[in-house]
Coordinates of all heavy atoms in Angstrom, one line a residue:
C216 N -17.9 10.0 12.9 CA -19.3 10.1 12.5 C -20.2 9.1 13.1 O -21.5 9.2 13.1 CB -19.4 10.1 11.1 SG -18.5 11.5 10.2
A217 N -19.6 7.9 13.7 CA -20.5 6.9 14.1 C -21.3 7.3 15.3 O -20.8 8.2 16.0 CB -19.6 5.8 14.6
P218 N -22.7 6.9 15.3 CA -23.4 7.4 16.4 C -22.9 6.9 17.7 O -22.7 5.8 17.9 CB -24.8 6.9 16.1 CG -24.6 5.8 15.1 CD -23.3 5.9 14.4
Q219 N -22.5 7.8 18.6 CA -22.1 7.5 19.9 C -23.2 7.3 20.9 O -24.0 8.1 20.9 CB -21.0 8.5 20.4 CG -20.0 8.9 19.4 CD -18.8 8.0 19.7 OE1 -18.4 7.8 20.8 NE2 -18.1 7.5 18.6
Q220 N -23.1 6.2 21.7 CA -24.2 6.2 22.7 C -23.8 7.2 23.8 O -22.8 7.2 24.4 CB -24.2 4.8 23.4 CG -25.5 4.4 23.8 CD -25.6 3.0 24.5 OE1 -24.7 2.2 24.2 NE2 -26.5 2.9 25.3
K221 N -24.8 8.1 24.0 CA -24.6 9.2 25.0 C -24.8 8.7 26.4 O -25.9 8.1 26.6 CB -25.5 10.4 24.7 CG -24.9 11.7 24.8 CD -25.7 12.8 24.3 CE -26.7 13.2 25.4 NZ -28.0 13.6 25.0
E222 N -23.9 8.8 27.3 CA -24.0 8.4 28.7 C -24.8 9.5 29.3 O -24.5 10.7 29.4 CB -22.7 8.3 29.3 CG -22.0 7.0 29.1 CD -22.3 6.2 30.3 OE1 -22.2 6.5 31.5 OE2 -22.5 5.0 30.0
A223 N -25.9 9.1 30.0 CA -26.7 10.0 30.8 C -25.9 10.4 32.0 O -25.4 9.5 32.7 CB -28.1 9.5 31.1
A224 N -25.9 11.6 32.5 CA -25.1 12.0 33.7 C -26.1 12.0 34.9 O -27.1 12.7 34.8 CB -24.5 13.4 33.5
V225 N -25.8 11.2 35.8 CA -26.5 11.3 37.1 C -25.5 11.5 38.2 O -24.5 10.7 38.3 CB -27.2 10.0 37.3 CG1 -28.2 10.0 38.6 CG2 -28.0 9.4 36.1
D226 N -25.8 12.4 39.1 CA -24.9 12.7 40.2 C -25.5 12.0 41.4 O -26.2 12.6 42.2 CB -24.6 14.1 40.4 CG -23.7 14.5 41.5 OD1 -23.2 13.6 42.3 OD2 -23.2 15.7 41.5
T227 N -25.1 10.7 41.6 CA -25.9 9.9 42.6 C -25.6 10.4 44.0 O -26.5 10.5 44.9 CB -25.4 8.5 42.6 OG1 -24.0 8.4 42.4 CG2 -26.1 7.7 41.4
G228 N -24.3 10.8 44.1 CA -23.9 11.4 45.5 C -24.8 12.6 45.9 O -25.5 12.7 47.0
H229 N -24.9 13.5 44.9 CA -25.8 14.6 45.1 C -27.3 14.3 45.3 O -28.0 14.9 46.2 CB -25.6 15.6 43.8 CG -26.4 16.8 43.8 ND1 -27.6 16.8 43.3 CD2 -26.0 18.1 44.2 CE1 -28.1 18.1 43.4 NE2 -27.2 18.9 44.0
D230 N -27.7 13.4 44.5 CA -29.1 13.1 44.6 C -29.5 12.4 45.9 O -30.6 12.5 46.5 CB -29.6 12.2 43.4 CG -29.6 13.1 42.1 OD1 -29.6 14.3 42.2 OD2 -29.4 12.5 41.0
L231 N -28.5 11.5 46.3 CA -28.7 10.8 47.6 C -28.7 11.7 48.8 O -29.4 11.7 49.8 CB -27.7 9.7 47.9 CG -28.1 8.4 47.1 CD1 -26.9 7.5 47.1 CD2 -29.3 7.6 47.6
D232 N -27.8 12.8 48.6 CA -27.8 13.9 49.7 C -29.1 14.6 49.7 O -29.7 15.0 50.7 CB -26.7 14.9 49.4 CG -25.4 14.4 49.8 OD1 -25.2 13.3 50.4 OD2 -24.3 15.0 49.3
Y233 N -29.7 14.9 48.5 CA -31.1 15.6 48.4 C -32.0 14.7 49.1 O -32.9 15.2 49.9 CB -31.3 15.7 46.9 CG -32.8 16.0 46.6 CD1 -33.4 17.2 46.9 CD2 -33.6 15.0 46.1 CE1 -34.8 17.3 46.8 CE2 -34.9 15.1 45.9 CZ -35.6 16.3 46.3 OH -36.9 16.5 46.1
C234 N -32.0 13.3 48.8 CA -33.0 12.5 49.5 C -32.9 12.6 51.0 O -33.9 12.6 51.8 CB -32.8 11.1 49.1 SG -33.4 10.8 47.3
H235 N -31.6 12.6 51.5 CA -31.5 12.6 53.0 C -32.0 13.9 53.5 O -32.7 13.8 54.5 CB -29.8 12.5 53.3 CG -29.6 12.4 54.7 ND1 -30.2 11.5 55.5 CD2 -28.8 13.2 55.5 CE1 -29.7 11.7 56.8 NE2 -28.9 12.7 56.8
R236 N -31.8 15.0 52.8 CA -32.3 16.3 53.3 C -33.9 16.3 53.4 O -34.5 16.7 54.4 CB -31.9 17.5 52.5 CG -30.3 17.8 52.7 CD -30.1 19.2 52.1 NE -30.5 19.4 50.6 CZ -29.7 19.0 49.7 NH1 -28.6 18.4 49.9 NH2 -30.0 19.1 48.5
Q237 N -34.5 15.6 52.4 CA -35.9 15.5 52.4 C -36.5 14.5 53.5 O -37.4 14.8 54.1 CB -36.5 15.1 51.0 CG -36.1 15.9 49.8 CD -36.8 17.3 50.0 OE1 -36.2 18.2 50.6 NE2 -37.9 17.4 49.3
V238 N -35.6 13.4 53.8 CA -36.1 12.6 54.8 C -36.0 13.3 56.3 O -37.0 13.2 57.0 CB -35.1 11.3 54.9 CG1 -35.1 10.6 56.2 CG2 -35.4 10.4 53.7
L239 N -35.0 14.0 56.4 CA -34.9 14.8 57.7 C -36.0 15.8 57.8 O -36.6 16.0 58.8 CB -33.5 15.5 57.9 CG -32.3 14.5 57.9 CD1 -31.0 15.3 58.0 CD2 -32.4 13.5 59.0
S240 N -36.3 16.5 56.6 CA -37.4 17.4 56.7 C -38.7 16.8 57.0 O -39.6 17.3 57.7 CB -37.5 18.2 55.3 OG -36.3 18.9 55.1
T241 N -38.9 15.5 56.4 CA -40.2 14.9 56.6 C -40.2 14.5 58.1 O -41.3 14.6 58.7 CB -40.3 13.6 55.7 OG1 -40.4 14.0 54.4 CG2 -41.4 12.6 56.1
L242 N -39.1 14.0 58.7 CA -39.2 13.6 60.1 C -39.5 14.9 60.9 O -40.3 14.7 61.9 CB -37.7 13.0 60.5 CG -37.5 11.6 60.0 CD1 -36.1 11.2 60.2 CD2 -38.4 10.6 60.6
A243 N -38.9 16.0 60.6 CA -39.2 17.3 61.2 C -40.7 17.5 61.1 O -41.4 17.9 62.2 CB -38.3 18.4 60.8
E244 N -41.3 17.4 60.0 CA -42.7 17.6 59.8 C -43.5 16.7 60.6 O -44.5 17.2 61.2 CB -43.0 17.4 58.2 CG -44.4 17.8 57.9 CD -44.8 17.4 56.4 OE1 -43.8 17.6 55.5 OE2 -45.9 16.8 56.2
L245 N -43.2 15.4 60.6 CA -43.9 14.5 61.4 C -44.0 14.7 62.9 O -45.0 14.5 63.6 CB -43.5 13.1 61.1 CG -43.6 12.7 59.6 CD1 -43.0 11.2 59.5 CD2 -45.0 12.7 59.1
H246 N -42.8 15.2 63.4 CA -42.6 15.5 64.8 C -43.2 16.8 65.3 O -43.4 17.0 66.4 CB -41.1 15.3 65.2 CG -40.7 13.9 65.3 ND1 -40.8 13.2 66.6 CD2 -40.1 13.1 64.5 CE1 -40.3 12.0 66.5 NE2 -39.8 11.9 65.2
E247 N -43.4 17.7 64.2 CA -43.9 19.0 64.7 C -45.0 19.0 65.6 O -46.0 18.3 65.4 CB -44.4 19.7 63.3 CG -44.1 21.2 63.2 CD -44.4 21.7 61.8 OE1 -45.6 21.9 61.6 OE2 -43.6 21.6 60.9
N248 N -44.9 19.8 66.7 CA -45.9 19.9 67.7 C -46.2 18.6 68.4 O -47.2 18.4 69.2 CB -47.2 20.5 67.2 CG -47.1 21.8 66.5 OD1 -46.2 22.5 66.8 ND2 -47.7 22.0 65.4
K249 N -45.4 17.5 68.2 CA -45.7 16.3 68.8 C -44.6 15.8 69.8 O -44.8 15.0 70.7 CB -45.8 15.2 67.8 CG -47.0 15.4 66.7 CD -47.4 14.1 66.2 CE -48.8 14.4 65.3 NZ -48.4 15.0 64.1
G250 N -43.5 16.5 69.7 CA -42.4 16.1 70.7 C -42.1 14.7 70.6 O -41.9 14.1 69.5
D251 N -42.1 14.0 71.7 CA -41.7 12.5 71.7 C -43.0 11.6 71.6 O -42.9 10.4 71.7 CB -41.0 12.2 73.0 CG -39.6 12.7 72.9 OD1 -39.1 12.9 71.9 OD2 -39.0 12.9 74.1
S252 N -44.1 12.3 71.4 CA -45.4 11.5 71.4 C -45.9 11.2 69.9 O -47.0 11.0 69.7 CB -46.5 12.2 72.1 OG -46.7 13.4 71.5
L253 N -44.8 11.1 69.0 CA -45.3 10.8 67.7 C -46.0 9.4 67.5 O -45.5 8.4 68.2 CB -44.0 10.8 66.7 CG -44.3 10.5 65.3 CD1 -45.1 11.6 64.6 CD2 -43.0 10.5 64.6
D254 N -47.0 9.3 66.8 CA -47.7 8.1 66.5 C -47.0 7.3 65.4 O -47.2 7.8 64.2 CB -49.2 8.3 66.3 CG -50.0 7.0 66.0 OD1 -49.3 5.9 66.0 OD2 -51.2 7.1 65.9
Y255 N -46.2 6.4 65.7 CA -45.4 5.6 64.7 C -46.2 4.7 63.8 O -45.8 4.1 62.9 CB -44.2 4.9 65.3 CG -43.2 5.8 65.7 CD1 -43.1 6.4 66.9 CD2 -42.2 6.3 64.8 CE1 -42.1 7.2 67.4 CE2 -41.2 7.2 65.1 CZ -41.2 7.7 66.4 OH -40.2 8.6 66.7
T256 N -47.5 4.7 64.0 CA -48.4 3.8 63.1 C -48.9 4.8 62.0 O -49.6 4.3 61.0 CB -49.6 3.2 63.8 OG1 -50.5 4.3 64.3 CG2 -49.2 2.4 65.0
M257 N -48.7 6.0 62.0 CA -49.2 6.9 61.0 C -48.0 7.1 60.0 O -47.0 7.7 60.2 CB -49.5 8.2 61.5 CG -50.8 8.2 62.4 SD -52.3 7.6 61.6 CE -52.7 9.0 60.6
M258 N -48.3 6.6 58.7 CA -47.3 6.6 57.7 C -47.6 7.6 56.6 O -48.6 7.7 56.1 CB -47.2 5.1 57.0 CG -46.9 4.1 58.0 SD -45.3 4.1 58.5 CE -45.2 2.6 59.5
P259 N -46.4 8.4 56.2 CA -46.6 9.3 55.1 C -47.0 8.5 53.8 O -46.5 7.5 53.5 CB -45.2 9.9 54.9 CG -44.6 9.7 56.2 CD -45.1 8.4 56.8
R260 N -48.1 9.0 53.2 CA -48.6 8.3 52.0 C -48.5 9.2 50.8 O -48.1 8.7 49.6 CB -50.1 7.9 52.2 CG -50.9 7.6 51.0 CD -50.7 6.2 50.5 NE -51.4 6.1 49.2 CZ -52.3 5.2 48.9 NH1 -52.5 4.2 49.7 NH2 -52.7 5.1 47.7
N261 N -48.9 10.4 50.9 CA -48.9 11.3 49.6 C -48.9 12.7 49.9 O -49.2 13.1 51.1 CB -50.1 11.0 48.7 CG -51.4 11.3 49.2 OD1 -51.6 12.3 49.9 ND2 -52.4 10.3 49.2
V262 N -48.6 13.6 49.0 CA -48.7 15.1 49.2 C -49.5 15.5 47.8 O -49.1 15.2 46.9 CB -47.3 15.8 49.2 CG1 -47.6 17.2 49.6 CG2 -46.5 15.2 50.2
A263 N -50.6 16.3 48.1 CA -51.4 16.7 47.0 C -50.7 17.8 46.3 O -49.9 18.6 47.0 CB -52.8 17.2 47.5
P264 N -51.0 18.1 45.1 CA -50.3 19.2 44.3 C -50.4 20.6 45.0 O -49.6 21.5 44.8 CB -50.7 19.2 42.9 CG -51.8 18.0 42.9 CD -52.0 17.3 44.2
D265 N -51.6 20.7 45.6 CA -51.8 22.1 46.3 C -51.5 22.1 47.7 O -51.9 23.0 48.5 CB -53.3 22.6 46.1 CG -54.3 21.5 46.7 OD1 -53.8 20.4 47.2 OD2 -55.5 21.7 46.6
S266 N -50.7 21.2 48.2 CA -50.3 21.1 49.6 C -48.8 21.0 49.7 O -48.1 20.7 48.7 CB -51.0 19.9 50.2 OG -50.4 19.6 51.5
D267 N -48.3 21.3 50.9 CA -46.8 21.1 51.1 C -46.6 20.1 52.3 O -45.6 20.0 52.9 CB -46.1 22.4 51.4 CG -46.6 23.2 52.6 OD1 -47.6 22.7 53.3 OD2 -46.2 24.3 52.9
R268 N -47.7 19.4 52.7 CA -47.6 18.5 53.7 C -48.0 17.1 53.4 O -49.0 16.9 52.6 CB -48.5 19.0 54.9 CG -47.9 20.3 55.5 CD -48.8 20.8 56.7 NE -48.4 19.9 57.9 CZ -47.3 20.1 58.7 NH1 -46.4 21.1 58.3 NH2 -47.0 19.3 59.6
W269 N -47.4 16.1 54.1 CA -47.8 14.8 53.9 C -49.1 14.4 54.4 O -49.5 14.9 55.5 CB -46.8 13.8 54.6 CG -45.4 13.6 54.0 CD1 -44.3 14.2 54.3 CD2 -45.2 12.8 52.9 NE1 -43.2 13.8 53.4 CE2 -43.9 12.9 52.6 CE3 -45.9 11.9 52.0 CZ2 -43.1 12.2 51.5 CZ3 -45.3 11.3 50.9 CH2 -43.9 11.4 50.7
E270 N -49.9 13.7 53.7 CA -51.1 13.0 54.3 C -50.6 11.8 54.8 O -50.1 10.9 54.1 CB -52.2 12.8 53.2 CG -53.5 12.2 53.8 CD -54.2 11.3 52.9 OE1 -54.3 11.6 51.7 OE2 -54.9 10.3 53.5
C271 N -50.8 11.5 56.2 CA -50.4 10.3 56.7 C -51.7 9.3 56.9 O -52.8 9.8 57.2 CB -49.7 10.4 58.1 SG -48.2 11.3 57.9
R272 N -51.5 8.0 56.8 CA -52.5 7.1 57.0 C -52.1 6.1 58.0 O -51.0 5.6 58.0 CB -52.9 6.3 55.6 CG -53.4 7.4 54.7 CD -54.1 6.7 53.6 NE -54.5 7.6 52.5 CZ -54.8 7.3 51.3 NH1 -54.8 6.1 50.9 NH2 -55.0 8.2 50.4
P273 N -53.1 5.5 58.8 CA -52.8 4.5 59.8 C -52.3 3.2 59.2 O -52.9 2.7 58.2 CB -54.1 4.4 60.5 CG -55.1 5.0 59.7 CD -54.5 5.8 58.7
T274 N -51.3 2.6 59.8 CA -50.8 1.3 59.3 C -51.8 0.2 59.6 O -52.4 0.0 60.7 CB -49.6 0.9 60.2 OG1 -48.5 1.9 60.0 CG2 -49.1 -0.5 59.8
C275 N -52.2 -0.5 58.5 CA -53.1 -1.6 58.6 C -53.0 -2.4 57.2 O -52.4 -1.9 56.2 CB -54.5 -1.2 58.7 SG -55.1 -0.2 57.5
A276 N -53.5 -3.6 57.2 CA -53.4 -4.5 56.0 C -54.1 -3.9 54.8 O -53.7 -4.1 53.7 CB -53.8 -5.8 56.3
E277 N -55.1 -3.1 55.0 CA -55.8 -2.5 53.9 C -55.1 -1.3 53.3 O -55.5 -0.8 52.2 CB -57.1 -1.9 54.5 CG -58.3 -3.0 54.9 CD -58.1 -3.5 56.3 OE1 -57.0 -3.4 56.8 OE2 -59.0 -4.0 56.8
E278 N -54.1 -0.8 54.0 CA -53.3 0.3 53.5 C -52.1 -0.1 53.0 O -51.0 -0.3 53.6 CB -53.1 1.4 54.8 CG -52.2 2.6 54.4 CD -52.5 3.3 53.1 OE1 -53.6 3.5 52.8 OE2 -51.5 3.6 52.4
W279 N -52.1 -0.5 51.6 CA -51.0 -1.2 51.1 C -49.7 -0.5 51.1 O -48.6 -1.1 50.9 CB -51.3 -1.6 49.6 CG -51.2 -0.6 48.5 CD1 -52.1 0.4 48.2 CD2 -50.2 -0.4 47.6 NE1 -51.7 1.2 47.2 CE2 -50.5 0.8 46.8 CE3 -49.0 -1.1 47.4 CZ2 -49.7 1.2 45.7 CZ3 -48.2 -0.6 46.3 CH2 -48.5 0.5 45.4
C280 N -49.7 0.9 51.3 CA -48.4 1.7 51.3 C -47.7 1.8 52.5 O -46.7 2.4 52.6 CB -48.8 3.0 50.6 SG -49.3 3.0 48.9
S281 N -48.2 1.1 53.6 CA -47.6 1.3 54.9 C -46.2 1.0 55.1 O -45.4 1.5 55.9 CB -48.4 0.5 56.0 OG -49.7 1.0 56.1
G282 N -45.7 0.1 54.3 CA -44.2 -0.3 54.3 C -43.2 0.6 53.7 O -42.0 0.4 53.8
F283 N -43.7 1.4 52.8 CA -42.7 2.2 52.0 C -41.9 3.2 52.8 O -40.8 3.4 52.5 CB -43.4 2.8 50.7 CG -44.0 1.9 49.7 CD1 -45.3 1.8 49.5 CD2 -43.1 1.0 49.1 CE1 -45.9 0.9 48.5 CE2 -43.6 0.1 48.2 CZ -45.0 0.0 47.9
W284 N -42.6 3.9 53.7 CA -41.9 4.9 54.5 C -40.8 4.3 55.3 O -39.6 4.8 55.2 CB -42.8 5.8 55.3 CG -42.1 6.6 56.3 CD1 -42.3 6.6 57.6 CD2 -41.3 7.7 56.1 NE1 -41.6 7.6 58.2 CE2 -40.9 8.3 57.3 CE3 -40.6 8.2 54.9 CZ2 -39.9 9.3 57.4 CZ3 -39.7 9.3 55.0 CH2 -39.4 9.8 56.2
P285 N -41.1 3.2 56.0 CA -40.0 2.5 56.7 C -38.9 2.1 55.7 O -37.6 2.3 56.1 CB -40.6 1.3 57.3 CG -42.1 1.6 57.5 CD -42.4 2.6 56.4
G286 N -39.3 1.7 54.5 CA -38.3 1.2 53.5 C -37.4 2.4 53.2 O -36.2 2.2 52.9
V287 N -38.1 3.6 53.0 CA -37.2 4.8 52.6 C -36.2 5.1 53.7 O -35.0 5.4 53.4 CB -38.2 6.0 52.4 CG1 -37.4 7.3 52.3 CG2 -39.0 5.9 51.1
L288 N -36.7 4.9 54.9 CA -35.8 5.2 56.1 C -34.5 4.2 56.1 O -33.4 4.7 56.3 CB -36.5 5.1 57.3 CG -37.5 6.4 57.6 CD1 -38.3 6.1 58.9 CD2 -36.7 7.7 57.8
W289 N -34.8 3.0 55.8 CA -33.8 2.0 55.7 C -32.7 2.3 54.6 O -31.5 2.3 54.9 CB -34.4 0.5 55.6 CG -35.0 0.1 56.9 CD1 -36.2 -0.1 57.1 CD2 -34.3 -0.2 58.2 NE1 -36.5 -0.6 58.4 CE2 -35.3 -0.7 59.1 CE3 -33.0 -0.2 58.5 CZ2 -34.9 -1.0 60.3 CZ3 -32.6 -0.5 59.8 CH2 -33.6 -1.0 60.7
Y290 N -33.3 2.6 53.4 CA -32.3 3.0 52.3 C -31.5 4.2 52.7 O -30.4 4.3 52.4 CB -33.1 3.1 51.1 CG -33.3 1.9 50.3 CD1 -34.5 1.5 49.9 CD2 -32.3 1.0 49.9 CE1 -34.9 0.3 49.2 CE2 -32.5 -0.2 49.3 CZ -33.7 -0.6 48.9 OH -33.9 -1.7 48.3
D291 N -32.2 5.2 53.3 CA -31.5 6.4 53.7 C -30.4 6.1 54.7 O -29.2 6.6 54.6 CB -32.4 7.5 54.1 CG -31.8 8.8 54.4 OD1 -31.1 9.3 53.4 OD2 -31.8 9.3 55.5
Y292 N -30.7 5.2 55.7 CA -29.8 4.9 56.7 C -28.6 4.2 56.0 O -27.4 4.4 56.4 CB -30.5 4.1 57.8 CG -29.4 3.3 58.6 CD1 -28.6 4.0 59.4 CD2 -29.3 1.8 58.5 CE1 -27.6 3.3 60.1 CE2 -28.3 1.3 59.2 CZ -27.5 1.8 60.0 OH -26.5 1.1 60.6

Side-chain angles (χ1 to χ4, degrees):
C216 298
Q219 303 274 318
Q220 209 182 336
K221 218 173 85 215
E222 272 268 318
V225 189
D226 188 341
T227 45
H229 177 273
D230 293 338
L231 283 167
D232 284 349
Y233 161 74
C234 290
H235 185 52
R236 288 196 302 279
Q237 297 298 87
V238 162
L239 296 181
S240 301
T241 293
L242 286 170
E244 179 186 326
L245 299 178
H246 278 278
E247 212 173 86
N248 305 324
K249 297 203 176 73
D251 287 338
S252 63
L253 180 63
D254 179 355
Y255 284 93
T256 67
M257 293 299 287
M258 300 291 183
R260 160 79 191 230
N261 63 48
V262 187
D265 58 357
S266 169
D267 60 2
R268 297 188 70 82
W269 283 102
E270 184 208 328
C271 293
R272 296 199 188 163
T274 298
C275 59
E277 290 87 335
E278 173 47 45
W279 77 282
C280 293
S281 299
F283 291 119
W284 168 241
V287 165
L288 290 171
W289 285 113
Y290 274 124
D291 185 58
Y292 162 65

